[in-house]
Amino acid sequence: MTDASRLPGLIALDWGTSAQRAWLLDRVGRIIDVRRPDQGLLATTEGIDVRDGHARELAYEAAFWSACGDWVTAHPDVPVIACGMVGSAQGWADAGYRTVPADLRFGADALVRVRHRRGVVHLVPGLRVPSAADVPGDVIRGEEAQIIGALEALDEPTGVVTLVLPGTHSKWVRVDNGKVLSFTTAMSGELFGLLTADGILARTAVEPRRDDEAFARGLVAGRSRGLTAELFGARPLVLDGLLDPASVHDYVSGVLIAHEVAHQLPTTAPGRVLLCGTEDLCRRYERALAAHGVVPTVLTEDVAARGLWRIACSTGLHHPEAQEQQWQ
Amino acid sequence: MTDASRLPGLIALDWGTSAQRAWLLDRVGRIIDVRRPDQGLLATTEGIDVRDGHARELAYEAAFWSACGDWVTAHPDVPVIACGMVGSAQGWADAGYRTVPADLRFGADALVRVRHRRGVVHLVPGLRVPSAADVPGDVIRGEEAQIIGALEALDEPTGVVTLVLPGTHSKWVRVDNGKVLSFTTAMSGELFGLLTADGILARTAVEPRRDDEAFARGLVAGRSRGLTAELFGARPLVLDGLLDPASVHDYVSGVLIAHEVAHQLPTTAPGRVLLCGTEDLCRRYERALAAHGVVPTVLTEDVAARGLWRIACSTGLHHPEAQEQQWQ
C-alpha cells in the first residue's frame, strides 16, 4: 500500500495569462513532478483569432499536449484538472464563475469538461463578486485554487481569515469557515511595473540595488499625502541627495504596498491574516502589515497544486481511498 | 504716448522640458505676438552630451535664435527673460532655486544672465521646498511665473490662496500675501498616461469617447477603497457590462483626480482656491473640488507671460515709465 500511494493520482495545471505550471501528483496528493512550460494564454493563442472556437481548441490542445502529453500517455486513467485563464472566454472553454459568497467545497457538477485526443480535462470555474451600480465587483480565476490550498495549510482553518495574495494584481480575500465572502484586487504590482519602466521615476532611477531602508522609508511615506504625491516624492529626495537613485525602486515599492495595505486591511475583525506569495513579496507585505500591528501567517510555497488536489477530491474526480484499495 | 505703449517692451520665454513658448510684449505688458516653437529642453539637447557645457550653450543659443532671433534683431534694446527648465542644470545655465517661504517680488539680483551673440537672456530661478529626512521636498521651474501671473489676475490677491495647476505633474501651491509658503506635486496626469497607454486598463479600454457621467462615477470611486483598488475597478465594471469600454479613460481620470483633490486640498483654511490650466482639466478639477464644497476661481488663459512681465518689472529689467518717457 505504501508503494501504491506513490503512483500517479492526478495531473493538475495552473494555466494563467502569461505562465503555466503542471504537476504530477501521487495518490495522496504529494508532488511527484512539476513543470513550468511558460505557455500561458497569450503564448498559446498567439497568431490565432480567439473568436474562432475551433482554432482555439486546437491551439489549447497542442499546448496541453506539449506541457504534459507524456504524463497522459503514460497514465491514461489518471484524471486531469486545470484552473486559471484556460477556463475563461478566451480560454480552452468558458468554465464560468461561481458568485460569492461561495463555499470552497465544490460540488461534483462545478467543473467543466473539455475533450482532448486521449480523454478529458476538467476546468475549474472562477469566483465573482458582482458589480453594483457604482461599486465595482471583481473576478478571479486560478486564485480560487490558491485560496483552497492556502487554507489547507492552516492547522485551524475555521473562523474569519483575511488572505493576501500579493502580485501584479494583488488579491485580498475574506473567508469565513471555508466560505469566500468577498475579495478585492489592488493593482499595485502593475503600477510598480509601469512606473519603473517609463516616466519620470524611471528616468530618476538607475539600475536598482536592494535597499531595505529605502523600502521602509517608502512604507512610511505611502500612508501620508496621497499616492500620486508620495510616488513623485522619490524624485525630490534624489535631487536633494537624500535617496540613492539605485534605491528608487524599493522606495516606490514601499509607497505602493503601504497604500495597498492601509486601504485593504479590514479595520475591524480582520481575523487571522494569511499571506501567501513569493518570498520577496511576502517579506515586503509582512513589514507593511507590521506597521498596523498585524503579524500574518506566511506561506511562501506554491499552494495551487494543493488546492487543485483538494478540488479534485471534493468533486469526486479523484477517490483516494477507492483507488488505493484497488492496489491493495 | 498711446502709440509708444504698443512698441515692444519685453521678449519672454517659457522654456520647459517638452515645449517652448515665446511672447513679444509691449511696453505695458500686453501680448503683441506669441509663438510655440516646440523646441523644449529634450529637443534642444537631442544628440549632444549635456555634460559638455560648451556644446549645450551652442545648442541653446541656436534654439533661442530660431525661436525669436528676428525679434531680437529688430528690437536690440528690448530685454529678454526666460523661465522653465532652460534654467536647470541641464539647461542653458543653472539659475538655481529660491527656497520657500519665498516672496514673489523678486529682487534685482535673482535673475541669472547668459550671453548670446547679440546680448543677454535673463533666466528666472525655480522654487524649492527642501526635503527633510523622510518628508520629500519638491521643486518647480517655470510654474513660479504661472503663480505670479495667476495671482495678478485676481482682483484681491491678498490673504491665503490655494493655487492648483493641473497637468502631467499637478502643482498645489499655498500662497499667503504674495509669499509662497509651500507646494506639492501630484503625478496624477502621468499615471493617467501610463495606465491608458499600457497594462490591463489599456487593454480593457477602446478608442475613448467623452463621457462626463463615467468621469463622475470615477470621482465617487476615487475617494473610497484606495487608489490601486479603485483603478482596477474599471475592469470588472466593463466585464459586468456596467461601463462602456470607450468610457474607461474618463472613469480612470475621475478616480485619479478625486484621489488627488481629496489628499491635496487643505482640510483647514484653504483660503481662496484658484484653478489655472487648460479648459478640459479645469472642468474636471472644478467638479472634483465641488464634491468638497469648494467653488474655485478658474483661469483657463495662459498666465506665464503675465508672470514673466511682472518679474521683469520687479527685478528692474523693464522700467515701463522710464521707457515710455523716452518716447514722449
Side-chain angles (χ1 to χ4, degrees):
Chain A
M1 181 179 160
T2 308
D3 285 340
S5 74
R6 300 279 358 188
L7 289 171
L10 184 71
I11 295 168
L13 292 98
D14 183 357
W15 195 337
T17 302
S18 55
Q20 195 188 20
R21 283 161 303 164
W23 295 274
L24 183 63
L25 303 177
D26 70 16
R27 298 193 171 209
V28 291
R30 291 172 300 198
I31 294 169
I32 299 172
D33 200 358
V34 57
R35 290 173 185 172
R36 302 175 182 278
D38 221 21
Q39 280 282 310
L41 177 143
L42 294 177
T44 300
T45 57
E46 199 181 339
I48 69 158
D49 180 353
V50 288
R51 289 163 302 182
D52 178 346
H54 185 60
R56 228 170 54 222
E57 274 170 35
L58 290 177
Y60 276 97
E61 178 161 2
F64 168 71
W65 213 253
S66 144
C68 57
D70 56 335
W71 290 347
V72 174
T73 305
H75 316 290
D77 297 330
V78 166
V80 182
I81 190 168
C83 69
M85 291 299 282
V86 67
S88 71
Q90 286 83 44
W92 199 339
D94 191 343
Y97 294 104
R98 298 164 71 234
T99 301
V100 297
D103 203 297
L104 289 168
R105 281 159 305 193
F106 287 36
D109 57 350
L111 305 181
V112 167
R113 295 156 57 95
V114 284
R115 294 207 62 80
H116 61 84
R117 70 190 78 161
R118 296 279 181 86
V120 168
V121 175
H122 300 82
L123 301 178
V124 178
L127 286 178
R128 170 176 181 265
V129 179
S131 294
D134 269 323
V135 183
D138 215 328
V139 290
I140 54 181
R141 244 185 221 294
E143 287 90 353
E144 68 288 337
Q146 292 178 47
I147 295 169
I148 295 168
L151 292 174
E152 277 266 313
L154 289 182
D155 300 330
E156 187 96 31
T158 54
V160 172
V161 176
T162 297
L163 174 59
V164 190
L165 302 169
T168 305
H169 297 153
S170 298
K171 309 295 177 190
W172 288 73
V173 188
R174 193 162 175 83
V175 183
D176 189 4
N177 280 319
K179 193 172 276 207
V180 174
L181 299 184
S182 68
F183 51 86
T184 304
T185 301
M187 58 191 300
S188 315
E190 182 177 321
L191 275 183
F192 178 81
L194 292 173
L195 287 164
T196 54
D198 206 358
I200 190 88
L201 296 178
R203 287 203 295 273
T204 307
V206 298
E207 195 59 46
R209 194 173 30 75
R210 176 171 162 175
D211 183 344
D212 289 347
E213 193 242 333
F215 175 75
R217 289 167 67 191
L219 277 188
V220 174
R223 299 170 65 190
S224 316
R225 303 179 301 157
L227 190 58
T228 54
E230 293 301 351
L231 287 169
F232 188 82
R235 186 169 164 78
L237 283 177
V238 168
L239 292 179
D240 282 342
L242 293 170
L243 180 66
D244 187 331
S247 304
V248 165
H249 284 219
D250 272 327
Y251 185 85
V252 167
S253 166
V255 169
L256 285 165
I257 292 174
H259 177 85
E260 177 184 325
V261 169
H263 285 88
Q264 300 312 323
L265 184 68
T267 47
T268 53
R272 186 162 177 179
V273 177
L274 181 55
L275 177 59
C276 182
T278 65
E279 205 171 309
D280 177 57
L281 279 180
C282 281
R283 182 176 57 81
R284 291 172 189 267
Y285 278 73
E286 216 177 339
R287 292 180 70 183
L289 286 163
H292 294 268
V294 170
V295 180
T297 302
V298 179
L299 284 175
T300 56
E301 64 171 309
D302 190 341
V303 291
R306 193 199 290 254
L308 286 166
W309 168 259
R310 181 55 49 205
I311 295 171
C313 293
S314 74
T315 54
L317 196 59
H318 177 77
H319 305 280
E321 285 177 24
Q323 290 200 348
E324 278 174 34
Q325 276 159 14
Q326 290 175 5
W327 289 90
Q328 274 175 339
Chain B
M1 182 181 159
T2 309
D3 286 339
S5 74
R6 300 276 4 183
L7 289 169
L10 185 70
I11 295 169
L13 294 97
D14 182 358
W15 196 337
T17 302
S18 54
Q20 195 188 22
R21 281 162 305 163
W23 296 273
L24 184 63
L25 303 178
D26 71 15
R27 297 192 174 211
V28 292
R30 291 172 301 197
I31 294 170
I32 300 173
D33 199 0
V34 58
R35 292 173 183 171
R36 303 175 181 279
D38 222 22
Q39 280 282 311
L41 179 142
L42 295 177
T44 301
T45 57
E46 200 182 339
I48 69 158
D49 181 353
V50 290
R51 291 163 301 183
D52 178 346
H54 185 61
R56 227 171 53 222
E57 275 169 34
L58 290 177
Y60 277 97
E61 178 161 2
F64 168 71
W65 213 254
S66 143
C68 56
D70 55 337
W71 292 347
V72 173
T73 305
H75 317 290
D77 297 331
V78 166
V80 182
I81 191 168
C83 69
M85 292 298 281
V86 67
S88 70
Q90 287 83 44
W92 198 339
D94 192 343
Y97 295 104
R98 298 165 69 235
T99 301
V100 298
D103 203 296
L104 289 169
R105 281 160 305 193
F106 288 35
D109 58 348
L111 305 182
V112 167
R113 295 158 56 95
V114 283
R115 293 206 63 79
H116 61 84
R117 69 190 81 159
R118 297 277 181 89
V120 169
V121 175
H122 300 81
L123 301 178
V124 178
L127 288 177
R128 168 175 182 266
V129 179
S131 295
D134 269 322
V135 183
D138 214 328
V139 290
I140 55 182
R141 242 184 223 295
E143 286 91 353
E144 68 289 335
Q146 292 178 47
I147 296 169
I148 294 168
L151 292 174
E152 278 266 313
L154 289 183
D155 301 329
E156 188 95 33
T158 53
V160 172
V161 175
T162 296
L163 174 59
V164 190
L165 303 168
T168 305
H169 297 152
S170 298
K171 309 295 177 189
W172 288 72
V173 188
R174 193 164 175 81
V175 184
D176 190 3
N177 280 319
K179 195 172 273 207
V180 173
L181 299 184
S182 68
F183 53 87
T184 304
T185 301
M187 59 191 300
S188 315
E190 182 177 321
L191 275 183
F192 178 81
L194 292 173
L195 288 165
T196 54
D198 206 359
I200 190 92
L201 296 178
R203 287 202 297 274
T204 306
V206 298
E207 196 58 46
R209 192 172 33 76
R210 177 172 160 175
D211 183 345
D212 288 347
E213 193 242 333
F215 175 75
R217 289 166 68 191
L219 277 187
V220 174
R223 300 170 64 190
S224 317
R225 301 178 302 158
L227 190 58
T228 53
E230 293 300 351
L231 287 169
F232 188 82
R235 186 170 163 77
L237 283 178
V238 168
L239 293 179
D240 282 343
L242 294 171
L243 181 67
D244 186 331
S247 304
V248 165
H249 284 220
D250 272 327
Y251 185 86
V252 167
S253 166
V255 169
L256 285 164
I257 292 174
H259 177 85
E260 179 184 324
V261 170
H263 284 89
Q264 300 311 324
L265 183 69
T267 46
T268 53
R272 187 164 177 178
V273 177
L274 181 55
L275 178 59
C276 182
T278 65
E279 205 172 308
D280 178 57
L281 279 180
C282 281
R283 183 176 57 80
R284 292 171 189 268
Y285 277 73
E286 219 178 336
R287 293 180 70 183
L289 286 163
H292 295 268
V294 171
V295 180
T297 302
V298 180
L299 284 175
T300 56
E301 63 171 311
D302 191 341
V303 291
R306 193 197 292 253
L308 285 165
W309 168 261
R310 181 56 49 206
I311 295 171
C313 293
S314 75
T315 55
L317 195 58
H318 177 76
H319 306 282
E321 285 176 27
Q323 290 200 347
E324 279 172 35
Q325 277 158 13
Q326 290 176 4
W327 290 88
Q328 275 175 337

